[in-house]
Amino acid sequence: MVLTLTFKATKHREKQMAAIIKTSEEIDKMRIAGQQAADVLTMIEPFVQVGITTNELNQRCHDFIVNEQGGIPAPLNYHGFPKSICTSLNYVVCHGIPNDKPLKEGDIINIDITVIKDGYHGDTSKMFMVGKTSILAKRLSMIAQECLYIGINLVKPGARLGDIGAAIQKHAEKNSYSIVREYCGHGIGAVFHEEPQILHYGKKGTGDTLKVGQCFTIEPMVNAGKRNCKVLKDEWTVITKDKKLSAQWEHTLLVTEAGVEILTLRPEETIERLINHD
Ligand code: MF3
Ligand code: CO
Ligand code: CO
């Protein structure tokens, strides 16, 4: 089945195509690309302050990736995307385009970085709080990160994609939030968005079975209000229909013999890079 934009969840899928299993040489490259994407988020953190524009953040990330890392910012010109990073502010769900508007006190923003290094992709995003933010905003961001971590903790050979989606959905809904359905995680490697699609909702015991050597992202989009989205006239920016806040966190993962390796882990995180279920 042909997908136009592979990260846009297709509705009526036929049979799932097999995931691509990476060789150990490819996995080495995925580790480097993942590390670099993570390093960009760490680098940009001190600059995410009241008054900076998302274009300035875009420029800093672009220059760091190209000049310091010898990498390529994957979003730039990807299906016509005009910038090097995605910046999704407040009620923007994903794919926000950097612009000249300064950040203001109380904003929440997702910065999504994808680096190509030596032909392989590392894809990761996190939420930043700008100045003092509301309790709701902080809680939404925290629950969205917990959704990501709950998903990651279920990754191991033999686990099913529906187990992961169901657990993520359950955690969001238990906290009276909703999960976006139209966008999903994805297989990743030499191709930015490859099979399979990783839905952040679903039914336990259904879906593809995970295999050692497979790489994919988990990137739940959690809405404070209803799950429904719409795309703005720029054909990229996805917003919540009810204009309530949305939060997203993303990691690139490798399925290992014993569980999972988080390829885009940052030093600030409390979760382990290697999760061993044996
Ligand atoms: N990084 C996004 C993802 O997690 C995709 C952005 S594609 C772009 O899959 F074209 F909008 F940059
Ligand atoms: Co992604
Ligand atoms: Co991403």
Side-chain angles (χ1 to χ4, degrees):
M1 134 175 262
V2 180
L3 309 175
T4 43
L5 288 175
T6 45
F7 54 89
K8 179 116 174 45
T10 41
K11 276 208 178 116
H12 306 287
R13 292 188 62 78
E14 291 140 32
K15 238 176 116 95
Q16 289 272 0
M17 293 198 311
I20 295 163
I21 305 302
K22 268 75 182 171
T23 64
S24 70
E25 290 76 20
E26 289 182 295
I27 289 167
D28 287 342
K29 292 180 182 183
M30 288 298 292
R31 277 200 189 98
I32 293 167
Q35 183 63 57
Q36 292 196 346
D39 290 347
V40 179
L41 285 178
T42 302
M43 179 280 297
I44 204 64
E45 169 109 60
F47 297 101
V48 187
Q49 301 284 351
V50 175
I52 197 164
T53 69
T54 45
N55 265 342
E56 291 173 89
L57 296 172
N58 176 74
Q59 194 62 52
R60 281 192 184 274
C61 291
H62 178 95
D63 291 347
F64 186 77
I65 293 166
V66 172
N67 302 328
E68 312 283 326
Q69 298 185 324
I72 299 166
L76 187 59
N77 301 321
Y78 180 76
H79 293 271
F81 191 78
K83 299 282 177 172
S84 299
I85 66 173
C86 296
T87 50
S88 301
L89 201 66
N90 298 329
Y91 61 79
V92 178
V93 170
C94 62
H95 305 163
I97 304 172
N99 62 27
D100 282 321
K101 228 180 115 188
L103 297 182
K104 53 181 199 317
E105 180 95 20
D107 281 343
I108 63 168
I109 183 172
N110 172 279
I111 300 182
D112 193 338
I113 303 292
T114 314
V115 173
I116 311 173
K117 179 67 179 180
D118 213 357
Y120 286 79
H121 291 73
D123 189 7
T124 186
S125 80
K126 67 168 277 189
M127 297 302 297
F128 297 87
M129 304 289 121
V130 181
K132 198 172 156 34
T133 53
S134 70
I135 290 168
L136 169 81
K138 285 200 276 266
R139 185 168 173 275
L140 176 68
S141 170
M142 183 185 82
I143 300 292
Q145 188 180 33
E146 286 172 6
C147 283
L148 170 61
Y149 286 173
I150 285 167
I152 291 173
N153 271 307
L154 290 170
V155 175
K156 61 175 184 187
R160 304 196 59 179
L161 288 179
D163 303 345
I164 295 168
I168 291 171
Q169 179 181 15
K170 192 170 153 201
H171 190 62
E173 291 177 356
K174 185 174 83 192
N175 286 284
S176 73
Y177 297 145
S178 62
I179 290 284
V180 169
R181 307 276 178 115
E182 293 90 338
Y183 300 87
C184 57
H186 48 92
I188 183 166
V191 173
F192 192 167
H193 297 100
E194 63 186 33
E195 294 288 330
Q197 297 191 4
I198 312 295
L199 303 181
H200 305 111
Y201 63 95
K203 249 196 159 129
K204 228 175 141 168
T206 67
D208 287 8
T209 300
L210 296 179
K211 305 214 162 45
V212 177
Q214 183 179 352
C215 290
F216 62 92
T217 72
I218 300 181
E219 48 184 301
M221 285 142 275
V222 181
N223 292 354
K226 297 222 161 70
R227 67 176 178 81
N228 309 75
C229 302
K230 64 178 186 185
V231 182
L232 296 185
K233 282 207 187 63
D234 63 21
E235 292 182 356
W236 281 105
T237 312
V238 181
I239 67 167
T240 58
K241 247 190 188 151
D242 60 14
K243 299 262 183 95
K244 294 198 178 166
L245 294 178
S246 187
Q248 179 179 30
W249 296 75
E250 174 176 24
H251 272 312
T252 297
L253 309 169
L254 165 71
V255 183
T256 62
E257 299 275 353
V260 57
E261 179 174 345
I262 305 172
L263 300 178
T264 47
L265 194 75
R266 298 178 306 282
E268 64 175 286
E269 291 184 271
T270 51
I271 192 171
E272 294 296 314
R273 180 187 183 90
L274 284 167
I275 299 171
N276 193 329
H277 290 289
D278 287 345

